[in-house]
Amino acid sequence: MHALLVIDVQNDFCPGGALAVADGDAIISGINAIMADFDAVVLTQDWHPAGHSSFASSHADKAPYDMIDMAYGPQVLWPDHCVQGTQGSAFHPELETDPADLIVRKGYNPAIDSYSAFFENDHKTPTGLEGYLRTRGMTDVTLVGLALDFCVNYSAVDAAKLGFKTTVRTDLCRAIDLGGSLAEAKQAMRNASVILD
Ligand code: VGL
Ligand code: ZN
């Protein structure tokens, strides 16, 4: 049984959004087209409270894309994005959401960012997605969406570590590519035995 995980195809990660990924919207029709090929479709939604600790605006003397040391490790600081209930946090209007069996929200804990669909950035606090996939008999996962070098990467590495046969359709992803993050992410995924398709 094979699940499709559609990561963070939200307005703020698409052109015109607060943390726009170049050509982020170019992958949407291709994602819609493959949904019917899977036994389950799961959408994730980055979902931060206002004033989230991953926002540069929450820290004195910090700018977007600066790094900071959090209790759980180094953290990139982002422009305010995907604030709960805003238009920026909504799915892109071209994304077909009706085929989704489940929507997983993440990043709602004010003190911890959550790139991965499985665990918060402390690598310990679960979102519940693992249990959902296992109880539905899913053995394989394919990931698509935004951004390849952050949320797709972290989600794929966690999926592989949890024992799911994990594929990333890189043609249906786009990257932020911050200071070499794309090359690093590809290496991390390969090291975790993620199939890059
Ligand atoms: C993401 C940075 C901050 C992502 C989410 O979806 O890749 N990146 N929040
Ligand atoms: Zn975020």
Side-chain angles (χ1 to χ4, degrees):
M1 297 276 272
H2 196 157
L4 178 67
L5 308 184
V6 180
I7 306 297
D8 297 0
V9 181
Q10 293 166 262
N11 288 324
D12 268 343
F13 297 122
C14 290
L19 180 39
V21 181
D23 270 342
D25 55 346
I27 60 178
I28 299 175
S29 62
I31 293 173
N32 289 337
I34 64 169
M35 286 180 178
D37 301 339
F38 291 85
D39 301 301
V41 176
V42 176
L43 310 180
T44 70
Q45 201 170 17
D46 208 39
W47 196 251
H48 299 304
H52 191 260
S53 57
S54 75
F55 296 169
S57 63
S58 303
H59 303 268
D61 306 320
K62 293 288 179 191
Y65 311 108
D66 285 352
M67 296 290 299
I68 194 172
D69 280 313
M70 303 287 266
Y72 52 83
Q75 167 74 46
V76 182
L77 293 175
W78 302 106
D80 291 23
H81 65 279
C82 295
V83 173
Q84 296 171 359
T86 60
Q87 260 308 107
S89 71
F91 291 114
H92 190 284
E94 285 165 29
L95 182 72
E96 283 181 20
T97 58
D98 289 351
D101 298 337
L102 178 73
I103 296 171
V104 176
R105 289 174 168 168
K106 60 183 181 62
Y108 41 73
N109 182 337
I112 313 184
D113 207 0
S114 187
Y115 296 148
S116 168
F118 292 92
F119 296 99
E120 295 186 349
N121 282 11
D122 62 1
H123 301 291
K124 284 201 285 276
T125 310
T127 62
L129 179 58
E130 179 194 1
Y132 178 83
L133 294 173
R134 288 206 199 287
T135 53
R136 287 204 54 199
M138 301 297 152
T139 51
D140 294 38
V141 295
T142 289
L143 293 94
V144 298
L146 305 170
L148 176 56
D149 43 347
F150 287 92
C151 290
V152 174
N153 167 34
Y154 276 65
S155 299
V157 167
D158 281 346
K161 284 185 178 162
L162 290 169
F164 296 100
K165 186 178 179 206
T166 305
T167 301
V168 172
R169 281 279 303 264
T170 56
D171 59 321
L172 295 178
C173 296
R174 290 293 182 275
I176 297 173
D177 204 8
L178 191 66
S181 59
L182 178 56
E184 263 178 53
K186 284 187 171 171
Q187 196 53 54
M189 291 190 278
R190 286 198 190 99
N191 291 347
S193 304
V194 173
I195 300 158
L196 297 181
D197 213 0

PDB file of all heavy atoms in Angstrom, residues 8 13 19 46 78 81 115 146-147 150-151 176, ligand 1:
ATOM      1  N   ASP A   8       3.123  20.848   1.914  1.00  0.00           N
ATOM      2  CA  ASP A   8       3.107  22.320   2.039  1.00  0.00           C
ATOM      3  C   ASP A   8       2.898  23.088   0.725  1.00  0.00           C
ATOM      4  O   ASP A   8       3.589  24.089   0.464  1.00  0.00           O
ATOM      5  CB  ASP A   8       4.399  22.816   2.717  1.00  0.00           C
ATOM      6  CG  ASP A   8       4.570  22.304   4.149  1.00  0.00           C
ATOM      7  OD1 ASP A   8       3.691  21.564   4.630  1.00  0.00           O
ATOM      8  OD2 ASP A   8       5.580  22.642   4.784  1.00  0.00           O
ATOM      9  N   PHE A  13       4.260  29.667   0.050  1.00  0.00           N
ATOM     10  CA  PHE A  13       5.439  29.062  -0.574  1.00  0.00           C
ATOM     11  C   PHE A  13       5.396  29.165  -2.097  1.00  0.00           C
ATOM     12  O   PHE A  13       6.266  28.639  -2.783  1.00  0.00           O
ATOM     13  CB  PHE A  13       5.579  27.589  -0.152  1.00  0.00           C
ATOM     14  CG  PHE A  13       5.796  27.407   1.324  1.00  0.00           C
ATOM     15  CD1 PHE A  13       4.920  26.645   2.083  1.00  0.00           C
ATOM     16  CD2 PHE A  13       6.869  28.013   1.958  1.00  0.00           C
ATOM     17  CE1 PHE A  13       5.108  26.480   3.443  1.00  0.00           C
ATOM     18  CE2 PHE A  13       7.074  27.852   3.321  1.00  0.00           C
ATOM     19  CZ  PHE A  13       6.195  27.084   4.071  1.00  0.00           C
ATOM     20  N   LEU A  19       7.077  33.483   1.718  1.00  0.00           N
ATOM     21  CA  LEU A  19       8.332  32.705   1.648  1.00  0.00           C
ATOM     22  C   LEU A  19       8.299  31.939   0.329  1.00  0.00           C
ATOM     23  O   LEU A  19       8.306  30.718   0.275  1.00  0.00           O
ATOM     24  CB  LEU A  19       8.416  31.771   2.875  1.00  0.00           C
ATOM     25  CG  LEU A  19       9.596  30.838   3.106  1.00  0.00           C
ATOM     26  CD1 LEU A  19      10.927  31.453   2.744  1.00  0.00           C
ATOM     27  CD2 LEU A  19       9.621  30.378   4.552  1.00  0.00           C
ATOM     28  N   ASP A  46       1.853  23.713   6.680  1.00  0.00           N
ATOM     29  CA  ASP A  46       2.665  24.446   7.654  1.00  0.00           C
ATOM     30  C   ASP A  46       1.697  25.411   8.349  1.00  0.00           C
ATOM     31  O   ASP A  46       0.949  26.136   7.675  1.00  0.00           O
ATOM     32  CB  ASP A  46       3.756  25.195   6.877  1.00  0.00           C
ATOM     33  CG  ASP A  46       5.018  25.439   7.667  1.00  0.00           C
ATOM     34  OD1 ASP A  46       5.446  24.555   8.429  1.00  0.00           O
ATOM     35  OD2 ASP A  46       5.600  26.544   7.511  1.00  0.00           O
ATOM     36  N   TRP A  78      12.957  32.602   9.582  1.00  0.00           N
ATOM     37  CA  TRP A  78      12.209  32.801   8.346  1.00  0.00           C
ATOM     38  C   TRP A  78      11.405  34.093   8.404  1.00  0.00           C
ATOM     39  O   TRP A  78      11.092  34.581   9.489  1.00  0.00           O
ATOM     40  CB  TRP A  78      11.241  31.628   8.137  1.00  0.00           C
ATOM     41  CG  TRP A  78      11.918  30.304   8.079  1.00  0.00           C
ATOM     42  CD1 TRP A  78      11.913  29.340   9.044  1.00  0.00           C
ATOM     43  CD2 TRP A  78      12.718  29.794   7.009  1.00  0.00           C
ATOM     44  NE1 TRP A  78      12.662  28.256   8.639  1.00  0.00           N
ATOM     45  CE2 TRP A  78      13.162  28.515   7.394  1.00  0.00           C
ATOM     46  CE3 TRP A  78      13.107  30.293   5.758  1.00  0.00           C
ATOM     47  CZ2 TRP A  78      13.978  27.724   6.577  1.00  0.00           C
ATOM     48  CZ3 TRP A  78      13.912  29.506   4.947  1.00  0.00           C
ATOM     49  CH2 TRP A  78      14.339  28.235   5.351  1.00  0.00           C
ATOM     50  N   HIS A  81       5.385  33.506   7.987  1.00  0.00           N
ATOM     51  CA  HIS A  81       4.726  32.755   6.906  1.00  0.00           C
ATOM     52  C   HIS A  81       3.750  31.753   7.497  1.00  0.00           C
ATOM     53  O   HIS A  81       3.893  31.341   8.648  1.00  0.00           O
ATOM     54  CB  HIS A  81       5.772  32.004   6.055  1.00  0.00           C
ATOM     55  CG  HIS A  81       6.488  30.938   6.831  1.00  0.00           C
ATOM     56  ND1 HIS A  81       7.532  31.215   7.668  1.00  0.00           N
ATOM     57  CD2 HIS A  81       6.272  29.599   6.924  1.00  0.00           C
ATOM     58  CE1 HIS A  81       7.939  30.099   8.242  1.00  0.00           C
ATOM     59  NE2 HIS A  81       7.187  29.098   7.818  1.00  0.00           N
ATOM     60  N   TYR A 115       9.709  20.978  10.390  1.00  0.00           N
ATOM     61  CA  TYR A 115       9.837  20.809   8.947  1.00  0.00           C
ATOM     62  C   TYR A 115       9.225  19.479   8.512  1.00  0.00           C
ATOM     63  O   TYR A 115       8.604  19.375   7.469  1.00  0.00           O
ATOM     64  CB  TYR A 115      11.309  20.811   8.522  1.00  0.00           C
ATOM     65  CG  TYR A 115      12.070  22.095   8.751  1.00  0.00           C
ATOM     66  CD1 TYR A 115      13.426  22.067   9.043  1.00  0.00           C
ATOM     67  CD2 TYR A 115      11.449  23.332   8.642  1.00  0.00           C
ATOM     68  CE1 TYR A 115      14.155  23.228   9.221  1.00  0.00           C
ATOM     69  CE2 TYR A 115      12.159  24.498   8.820  1.00  0.00           C
ATOM     70  CZ  TYR A 115      13.520  24.441   9.115  1.00  0.00           C
ATOM     71  OH  TYR A 115      14.239  25.593   9.293  1.00  0.00           O
ATOM     72  N   LEU A 146       6.762  21.265  -1.465  1.00  0.00           N
ATOM     73  CA  LEU A 146       7.637  22.398  -1.144  1.00  0.00           C
ATOM     74  C   LEU A 146       8.036  22.335   0.336  1.00  0.00           C
ATOM     75  O   LEU A 146       7.206  21.961   1.155  1.00  0.00           O
ATOM     76  CB  LEU A 146       6.872  23.712  -1.403  1.00  0.00           C
ATOM     77  CG  LEU A 146       6.275  23.857  -2.830  1.00  0.00           C
ATOM     78  CD1 LEU A 146       5.345  25.058  -2.898  1.00  0.00           C
ATOM     79  CD2 LEU A 146       7.386  23.958  -3.864  1.00  0.00           C
ATOM     80  N   ALA A 147       9.183  22.725   0.634  1.00  0.00           N
ATOM     81  CA  ALA A 147      10.301  22.956  -0.264  1.00  0.00           C
ATOM     82  C   ALA A 147      11.193  21.715  -0.232  1.00  0.00           C
ATOM     83  O   ALA A 147      11.386  21.110   0.819  1.00  0.00           O
ATOM     84  CB  ALA A 147      11.086  24.181   0.173  1.00  0.00           C
ATOM     85  N   PHE A 150      13.894  21.617   2.528  1.00  0.00           N
ATOM     86  CA  PHE A 150      13.507  21.728   3.932  1.00  0.00           C
ATOM     87  C   PHE A 150      12.420  20.706   4.264  1.00  0.00           C
ATOM     88  O   PHE A 150      12.713  19.591   4.689  1.00  0.00           O
ATOM     89  CB  PHE A 150      13.128  23.181   4.293  1.00  0.00           C
ATOM     90  CG  PHE A 150      14.348  24.044   4.351  1.00  0.00           C
ATOM     91  CD1 PHE A 150      14.785  24.757   3.232  1.00  0.00           C
ATOM     92  CD2 PHE A 150      15.116  24.096   5.501  1.00  0.00           C
ATOM     93  CE1 PHE A 150      15.959  25.512   3.266  1.00  0.00           C
ATOM     94  CE2 PHE A 150      16.286  24.843   5.557  1.00  0.00           C
ATOM     95  CZ  PHE A 150      16.703  25.559   4.434  1.00  0.00           C
ATOM     96  N   CYS A 151      11.165  21.036   4.085  1.00  0.00           N
ATOM     97  CA  CYS A 151      10.121  20.144   4.589  1.00  0.00           C
ATOM     98  C   CYS A 151      10.053  18.815   3.848  1.00  0.00           C
ATOM     99  O   CYS A 151       9.792  17.779   4.466  1.00  0.00           O
ATOM    100  CB  CYS A 151       8.784  20.870   4.606  1.00  0.00           C
ATOM    101  SG  CYS A 151       8.767  22.148   5.887  1.00  0.00           S
ATOM    102  N   ILE A 176      14.175  25.968  -1.958  1.00  0.00           N
ATOM    103  CA  ILE A 176      14.534  27.328  -1.544  1.00  0.00           C
ATOM    104  C   ILE A 176      15.998  27.579  -1.919  1.00  0.00           C
ATOM    105  O   ILE A 176      16.351  28.637  -2.415  1.00  0.00           O
ATOM    106  CB  ILE A 176      14.301  27.502  -0.022  1.00  0.00           C
ATOM    107  CG1 ILE A 176      12.810  27.340   0.329  1.00  0.00           C
ATOM    108  CG2 ILE A 176      14.827  28.854   0.453  1.00  0.00           C
ATOM    109  CD1 ILE A 176      12.497  27.339   1.829  1.00  0.00           C
TER     110      ILE A 176
HETATM  111  C1  VGL B   1       9.188  25.256   5.094  1.00  0.00           C
HETATM  112  C2  VGL B   1      10.657  26.815   5.889  1.00  0.00           C
HETATM  113  C3  VGL B   1       9.802  27.126   6.924  1.00  0.00           C
HETATM  114  C4  VGL B   1       8.868  24.233   4.049  1.00  0.00           C
HETATM  115  C5  VGL B   1       8.315  25.536   6.137  1.00  0.00           C
HETATM  116  O1  VGL B   1       7.689  23.919   3.840  1.00  0.00           O
HETATM  117  O2  VGL B   1       9.840  23.719   3.425  1.00  0.00           O
HETATM  118  N1  VGL B   1      10.347  25.883   4.985  1.00  0.00           N
HETATM  119  N2  VGL B   1       8.631  26.478   7.042  1.00  0.00           N
END
